[in-house]
Amino acid sequence: NAEDALERPRGVIANPNCSTIQMVVALKPLYDLAKITRVVVSTYQAASGAGAPAMAELYDQTREFLGGTPDDELTVSAFQHRIAFNCIPHIDKFLDDDSTKEEWKMVAETKKIMGDEGIKVAATCVRVPVMRAHSESVWLETERPVSVSEAREAFSKAEGVVLMDDPAGKVYPMPLFIAGKDPVYVGRIRKDLTCDNGLAFWCVSDQIKKGAALNAVQILETLI
């Protein structure tokens, strides 16, 4: 939605939420094929999304845990619970409907960025013991069926997206190899056998790059 940057009533442009932006970058080429009516996403968000102290906590907790420190003596300050060897389904504060603010952002910002208030979005956001790069499992429903081959071709031509999808060769995006890179990487593309218009994929992106710093630079480049 680069054209929206030219209309800024207060002179301010908000950088998108890191988990939202990588998803909508991947959704856009599919939306161009067929209007998306519904999205269900589960995120696997890296410790770095909570800042440098959170990264240090993951490292220190892992070292403490492997060194034999009892659970009740591990240092826990950046997260709600131990992050080492654990997953925490709690990012930001809980809202009145029991969703988290991070999940609400994914719902509200997807509608705003895609320019379609009719898209239904359900999100579950989870912190995982990974240093850099967020991963997301995305399911979507479109107005007409979109084949896997159509989706692959669209991803392969999309700006800012890298197709990494060869299940037979064990090739798919993983944060281990994506950290420090600019694009959104997409793989594990497959049809939902329970829904005629359903499609699923997996995407990974460095949330410090595309999720924050790089995206801010790209907005500035658009304005220039």
Side-chain angles (χ1 to χ4, degrees), residues 32-99:
D32 289 343
L33 291 176
K35 183 177 179 180
I36 296 170
T37 58
R38 188 156 62 114
V39 179
V40 178
V41 56
S42 294
T43 70
Y44 305 74
Q45 297 183 220
S48 52
M55 297 174 72
E57 184 161 310
L58 171 56
Y59 180 84
D60 291 340
Q61 277 185 3
T62 301
R63 184 179 56 190
E64 291 172 1
F65 182 80
L66 293 176
T69 301
D71 278 3
D72 59 359
E73 295 180 17
L74 293 174
T75 303
V76 177
S77 60
F79 299 107
Q80 302 87 352
H81 301 278
R82 187 186 95 196
I83 186 62
F85 302 97
N86 191 29
C87 296
I88 305 173
H90 179 184
I91 300 176
D92 212 319
K93 64 181 181 180
F94 278 103
L95 304 177
D96 291 341
D97 64 357
D98 290 334
S99 65

Side-chain angles (χ1 to χ4, degrees), residues 79-154:
F79 299 107
Q80 302 87 352
H81 301 278
R82 187 186 95 196
I83 186 62
F85 302 97
N86 191 29
C87 296
I88 305 173
H90 179 184
I91 300 176
D92 212 319
K93 64 181 181 180
F94 278 103
L95 304 177
D96 291 341
D97 64 357
D98 290 334
S99 65
T100 63
K101 190 174 181 181
E102 182 80 358
E103 292 158 355
W104 170 81
K105 289 176 186 176
M106 293 201 73
V107 175
E109 291 190 11
T110 297
K111 295 173 182 287
K112 181 178 180 181
I113 295 170
M114 298 293 288
D116 186 345
E117 288 293 323
I119 299 179
K120 297 178 180 179
V121 182
T124 300
C125 295
V126 182
R127 190 74 69 186
V128 297
V130 169
M131 281 293 183
R132 287 278 294 271
H134 288 356
S135 304
E136 296 178 352
S137 173
V138 183
W139 178 93
L140 61 121
E141 187 174 9
T142 50
E143 284 190 336
R144 71 160 180 86
V146 174
S147 69
V148 171
S149 59
E150 279 184 288
R152 283 201 179 107
E153 183 178 4

Side-chain angles (χ1 to χ4, degrees), residues 151-224:
R152 283 201 179 107
E153 183 178 4
F155 284 134
S156 69
K157 295 178 179 178
E159 183 178 357
V161 175
V162 173
L163 181 64
M164 186 180 285
D165 189 37
D166 178 15
K170 301 178 184 177
V171 176
Y172 30 71
M174 292 185 290
L176 177 65
F177 303 118
I178 304 307
K181 297 182 180 178
D182 290 350
V184 176
Y185 291 77
V186 175
R188 294 297 319 282
I189 305 161
R190 59 204 186 276
K191 287 290 293 181
D192 176 5
L193 301 180
T194 70
C195 176
D196 291 340
N197 294 7
L199 197 68
F201 66 86
W202 170 261
C203 67
V204 181
S205 185
D206 188 323
Q207 90 292 344
I208 295 176
K209 301 275 282 190
K210 182 56 184 173
L214 172 67
N215 205 69
V217 171
Q218 290 173 328
I219 292 171
L220 289 172
E221 289 175 339
T222 298
L223 295 176
I224 291 171

